[in-house]
DNA sequence: TTGAAAGCGCTACCAT
DNA sequence: ATGGTAGCGCTTTCAA
């Protein structure tokens, strides 16, 4: 036997309508009766039945969040940002993890979609086209966080072009001329493309023709980092490497150690992401830190404002955080 | 304009009741009409309105999952286990992250509770008493995964007593006599207590009176590991340390490196948890790996069966995984 | 096998 | 400021 608004109304000598207004803070009501009702609700152990509310309301305040179940240690930070903002603006988050299995993805998405959502936010997901089709077919707002998809969906992310460009500049200024970019190089994710372009253009602006071999890797995994060292062999043909994700860079660092290389003397590393993982290595990783919390907050506010067009792209800042993985090889006469 | 069951019924020349029965696979219906209805639903782009369904159903198939928002890298694995099982048994998961702020916790719990849940699973959460009170006040099933609470809630976890006991045995067999236990030592979480008891008893069984100073630490954080080394100073008064969580052990390892100690020669480390993090260090951490996926699966199956009593405790197995952080100090004449 | 209709708990509109 | 009430979309008896 659950307590309903009606029960409260009876006990308070009011109508369900009034109780509803009071409990949701909508419309006009007497402050004193309001307090009485709230006390009553509390003491009777009332819980709102959100399903009933959803059913009778047009406007939803629920935002679905799709998170890749594969270990992405920054998803937490984005969610944290989203949650604090959602709490503040009185929105509710429903988080769903998506596996790599497409059928399961569709089922997850459908179960989300069956809940009258205001919007769905996708965190760092390269979503499958068939799943995306399902999503686009509905009228919930969509947003991609920390990843730019095709311009069918608005997105919030770092400026990946600039980020890599800046890293190259930084490495160049430290005397590096032979630089590698390690990580997912599939053409499809726009992010990988932008990074590649930033990489190539920055080198070119410094008068360096990039070596296509130095853009290497398939996935953004630890193994990719480890493999990279084995692939290129010792001595490495480059003096610095950019890791497309912290976990890759840790792979690079461990791979280098396993090959008896010294960091940063034999290999400088700059990593993209800058999560807490960077603090766990020795030396600590030099990184360009993305502002994941801010991404999360902006996701909520912009969804709340409902001014997003499919082409909207919002960039958040990145910060160069110095660790101990960049050396200056100038003295080694590496200049060209 | 959303498509409802009624729309389908009209188009199919049936009643909403029949459509409902077909789409939910309940009750009797004609196989041919069923196929027709399903096709129709598909082509019309029908989405079940779960809120409406929840409202008119007594039995819920939704399980709420409370996850600490603080980075616990094994929560992912538990959730993965839960999700695969939930998918298989046709349950739905709603994940909510809880912050440390109590008010926010209550709000999160309430918003979960307002959704007609079958159960709530708490992952590795030492829940606040006031929040717990709210939870116990309802009639949703509760379960604690990877953490034992007071016996008011059933739980699934590793046998923490045995785990630490086994580690001590292992270290003893490798010649260690002075062993430390680093990590949360607050008396309240039962887990910490069990580990402490396993630690003390195992030592005692080997004829060693434990040194209370060697049980050290307040929180299960990276910093605790780092601080431990500073706290005890060099040379360390013990030859081996047990880290209560991977992140602590990494702290120990880095702290030791920062103090110019060699691992494992100057300090052996065994870590509890055994997540992927253990692979990222050099040397790789020796660990007792918990079976998080299994915990997640068991959580779902046992909730589905509804046979849990508040005192139920389910243990999952742990495995000793050899890394490179344990040495045998026998030759140093450490025997007593 | 199928249909009619009540009702889940809440909100919103229109009155008062 | 408050009340009456229709109705959100679905499930579920009970009857046909």
């Amino acid at each position: 036997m659950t307590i309903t608004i009606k029960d409260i109304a009876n006990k308070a000598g009011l109508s369900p309508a009034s109780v509803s207004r009071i409990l949701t803070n909508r419309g006009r009501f007497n402050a004193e009766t309001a307090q009485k009702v709230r006390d009553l609700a509390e003491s009777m152990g009332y819980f709102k039945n959100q399903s009933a509310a959803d059913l009778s309301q047009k406007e939803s305040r629920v935002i679905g969040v799709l998170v890749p179940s594969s270990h992405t240690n920054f998803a937490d930070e984005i969610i944290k940002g989203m949650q604090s903002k959602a709490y503040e603006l009185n929105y509710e988050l429903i988080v769903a993890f998506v596996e790599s299995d497409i059928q399961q993805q569709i089922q997850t998405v459908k179960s989300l979609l069956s809940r009258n959502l205001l919007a769905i936010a996708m965190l760092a997901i390269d979503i499958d086209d068939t799943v995306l089709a399902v999503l686009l077919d509905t009228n919930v707002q969509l947003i991609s966080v920390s990843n730019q998809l095709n311009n069918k969906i608005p997105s919030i992310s770092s400026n990946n072009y600039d980020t890599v460009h800046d890293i190259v500049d930084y490495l160049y200024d430290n005397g590096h001329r032979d630089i590698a970019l390690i990580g997912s190089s599939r053409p499809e994710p726009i992010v990988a493309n932008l990074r590649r372009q930033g990489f190539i253009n920055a080198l070119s602006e410094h008068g360096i023709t990039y070596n296509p071999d130095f853009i290497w890797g398939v996935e953004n995994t630890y193994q990719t980092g480890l493999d990279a060292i084995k692939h290129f062999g010792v001595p490495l043909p480059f003096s610095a490497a950019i890791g497309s994700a912290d976990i890759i860079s840790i792979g690079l660092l461990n791979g280098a150690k396993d090959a008896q290389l010294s960091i940063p003397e034999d290999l400088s590393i700059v990593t993209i992401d800058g999560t807490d993982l960077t603090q766990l290595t020795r030396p600590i990783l030099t990184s360009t830190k993305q502002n994941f919390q801010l991404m999360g907050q902006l996701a909520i506010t912009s969804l709340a404002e409902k001014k997003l067009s499919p082409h909207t792209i919002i960039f958040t800042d990145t910060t160069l955080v110095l660790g101990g993985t960049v050396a200056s090889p100038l003295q080694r006469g590496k200049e060209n």
Side-chain angles (χ1 to χ4, degrees), chain A:
Chain A
M1 229 305 296
T2 48
I3 312 287
T4 73
I5 261 191
K6 216 170 165 183
D7 299 325
I8 300 179
N10 286 149
K11 211 152 208 157
L14 286 171
S15 74
S18 299
V19 176
S20 171
R21 262 181 253 119
I22 290 168
L23 258 26
T24 55
N25 259 309
R26 265 188 279 263
R28 284 168 237 303
F29 49 80
N30 182 300
E32 291 172 35
T33 45
Q35 194 48 52
K36 200 171 64 181
V37 165
R38 275 191 270 266
D39 291 347
L40 220 41
E42 178 72 42
S43 72
M44 295 173 73
Y46 167 78
F47 273 104
K48 177 185 208 173
N49 183 326
Q50 192 62 43
S51 299
D54 283 350
L55 190 56
S56 66
Q57 263 176 320
K58 345 212 72 172
E59 268 276 306
S60 166
R61 296 188 79 80
V62 181
I63 297 174
V65 186
L66 286 177
V67 185
S69 65
S70 66
H71 218 94
T72 53
N73 50 300
F74 57 77
D76 297 24
E77 294 190 42
I78 300 177
I79 294 175
K80 226 180 252 187
M82 297 184 81
Q83 195 144 63
S84 68
K85 210 61 183 180
Y87 178 71
E88 183 186 326
L89 301 180
N90 199 26
Y91 284 85
E92 190 185 345
L93 254 42
I94 289 190
V95 179
F97 287 80
V98 294
E99 308 283 332
S100 47
D101 175 52
I102 302 286
Q103 282 317 307
Q104 212 165 329
Q105 277 191 30
I106 292 182
Q107 136 115 358
T108 304
V109 167
K110 283 200 174 175
S111 100
L112 260 191
L113 248 21
S114 71
R115 254 167 211 294
N116 181 25
L117 302 175
L118 168 69
I120 290 183
M122 299 183 278
L123 306 197
I125 291 183
D126 280 315
I127 201 152
D128 182 83
D129 277 343
T130 66
V131 183
L132 185 58
V134 176
L135 251 6
L136 288 172
D137 201 33
T138 69
N139 47 11
V140 298
Q141 294 185 80
L142 297 176
I143 194 168
S144 170
V145 185
S146 164
N147 192 23
Q148 293 174 247
L149 299 182
N150 44 60
N151 343 17
K152 289 175 190 158
I153 297 183
S155 68
I156 298 180
S157 69
S158 301
N159 186 326
N160 286 284
Y161 178 93
D162 284 357
T163 297
V164 174
H165 196 292
D166 290 350
I167 296 177
V168 171
D169 288 347
Y170 172 71
L171 288 170
Y172 185 91
D173 290 346
N174 275 273
H176 293 275
R177 298 298 178 264
D178 301 301
I179 304 174
L181 176 63
I182 309 298
S184 166
S185 57
R186 286 172 299 177
E188 168 227 340
I190 291 181
V191 168
N193 253 330
L194 289 170
R195 290 182 177 178
R196 177 200 299 261
Q197 276 312 316
F199 180 73
I200 296 174
N201 291 359
L203 285 175
S204 143
E205 285 162 25
H206 290 296
I208 301 177
T209 306
Y210 90 102
N211 180 341
D213 294 341
F214 287 4
I215 299 183
W216 192 87
V218 181
E219 292 177 298
N220 284 337
T221 61
Y222 177 64
Q223 197 59 42
T224 294
L226 282 182
D227 290 347
I229 303 297
K230 289 196 188 120
H231 170 76
F232 288 105
V234 175
L236 292 169
F238 41 78
S239 64
I242 302 171
S244 263
D246 290 341
I247 193 71
I248 296 179
S249 301
I250 296 179
L252 287 170
L253 201 151
N254 284 344
K257 279 190 191 170
D258 293 348
Q260 316 297 336
L261 296 176
S262 304
I263 306 292
E265 294 75 15
D266 298 322
L267 174 67
S268 289
I269 301 175
V270 177
T271 190
I272 298 177
D273 277 358
T275 67
D276 289 346
L277 281 181
T278 56
Q279 303 304 305
L280 303 185
T281 61
R282 289 297 181 270
I284 286 172
L285 284 165
T286 292
S287 66
T288 38
K289 190 187 180 96
Q290 302 199 49
N291 201 334
F292 293 113
Q293 293 235 166
L294 182 58
M295 286 185 203
Q297 296 179 254
L298 287 176
I300 300 298
T301 51
S302 47
L303 287 174
E305 288 164 5
K306 292 189 209 128
K307 301 265 188 255
L308 292 168
S309 101
H311 306 291
T312 308
I313 296 180
I314 299 175
F315 285 134
T316 52
D317 56 300
T318 64
T319 327
L320 181 70
V321 178
L322 298 184
T325 54
V326 174
S328 301
L330 279 171
Q331 62 278 15
R332 302 198 317 202
K334 271 272 188 176
E335 307 86 328
N336 48 354

